[in-house]
Amino acid sequence: MSDVPQTDVSRPSALPTAKLLQRQTQPLVDQNSNEYLDSIEEEWNKKVDVEIETLVDGMTDLVSLASIEDKDKFRIAQEAFQAQCRAESMIRAAHSLMSTIHSMKLLLLLSDEAQIAKRRDAELRVVQSEKSEAQKKVAALLDELLSSRTDDGSSGENSRGDGMQTT
């Protein structure tokens, strides 16, 4: 009876991890930080250049399709379809540029380590100054408390407060 019963129920197991579109995210060993950043910048520039070229070519084609000539119905329909395809291509390029701009803004905001470090250091200085001021206040209050206690003890009063000295 030590056999595991066979059932139709699937047992959960670890799913294989997908490794789609793997890109090298770490710089090569023989590549320093500046070279790596330059290569990333070049990739971004190429993406932007391709999308802008698509927009310019699309606009040029739309202008050439809008020429007024003696055209038959087939030619008009063909040019309308071409204009629609070019417009859709331009819309995709514009959306791609907008997402690239959004990504660049996020990278700028999230990777501005110098500004984050400056803010952290300024906050640290403020907190340290507040801490030292609080320590000075506590020390002054403690000195005041201890001096008032020693003054009370040297005036000759006992702990009962009746003014009589005990021997």
Side-chain angles (χ1 to χ4, degrees):
M1 294 237 99
S2 65
D3 294 334
V4 177
Q6 298 294 325
T7 65
D8 294 349
V9 178
S10 65
R11 294 190 178 112
S13 63
L15 296 174
T17 58
K19 295 183 180 182
L20 302 174
L21 297 175
Q22 283 188 342
R23 287 183 30 185
Q24 182 179 0
T25 57
Q26 297 295 325
L28 296 173
V29 175
D30 58 339
Q31 194 177 36
N32 67 19
S33 178
N34 288 332
E35 291 173 352
Y36 176 70
L37 291 175
D38 288 341
S39 68
I40 296 294
E41 181 182 2
E42 281 301 314
E43 284 183 34
W44 283 98
N45 285 337
K46 286 178 185 176
K47 287 179 187 178
V48 170
D49 288 344
V50 165
E51 299 304 335
I52 288 177
E53 186 178 332
T54 302
L55 287 173
V56 170
D57 290 344
M59 187 58 73
T60 304
D61 288 346
L62 284 177
V63 170
S64 69
L65 289 173
S67 65
I68 301 174
E69 300 174 351
D70 186 25
K71 301 177 184 177
D72 60 350
K73 290 183 179 184
F74 175 74
R75 176 103 173 146
I76 292 171
Q78 185 180 23
E79 288 181 355
F81 178 72
Q82 287 177 338
Q84 186 177 6
C85 289
R86 278 298 180 179
E88 288 174 1
S89 170
M90 290 172 63
I91 289 171
R92 279 193 302 275
H95 280 290
S96 177
L97 278 174
M98 285 177 33
S99 82
T100 301
I101 290 169
H102 179 73
S103 297
M104 287 179 166
K105 285 180 182 178
L106 286 176
L107 284 172
L108 177 66
L109 289 173
L110 297 177
S111 67
D112 191 8
E113 294 176 12
Q115 184 66 21
I116 292 170
K118 286 179 184 177
R119 287 181 186 167
R120 183 188 62 228
D121 292 342
E123 184 68 23
L124 182 63
R125 284 191 296 273
V126 168
V127 168
Q128 285 177 340
S129 66
E130 289 174 356
K131 180 184 110 177
S132 64
E133 289 174 15
Q135 284 176 336
K136 289 176 185 176
K137 274 185 180 179
V138 167
L141 289 173
L142 186 60
D143 287 343
E144 183 182 318
L145 181 64
L146 290 177
S147 67
S148 68
R149 237 181 181 191
T150 57
D151 290 343
D152 289 345
S154 65
S155 66
E157 291 185 6
N158 62 8
S159 63
R160 291 180 287 170
D162 58 2
M164 299 180 73
Q165 288 188 349
T166 58
T167 56

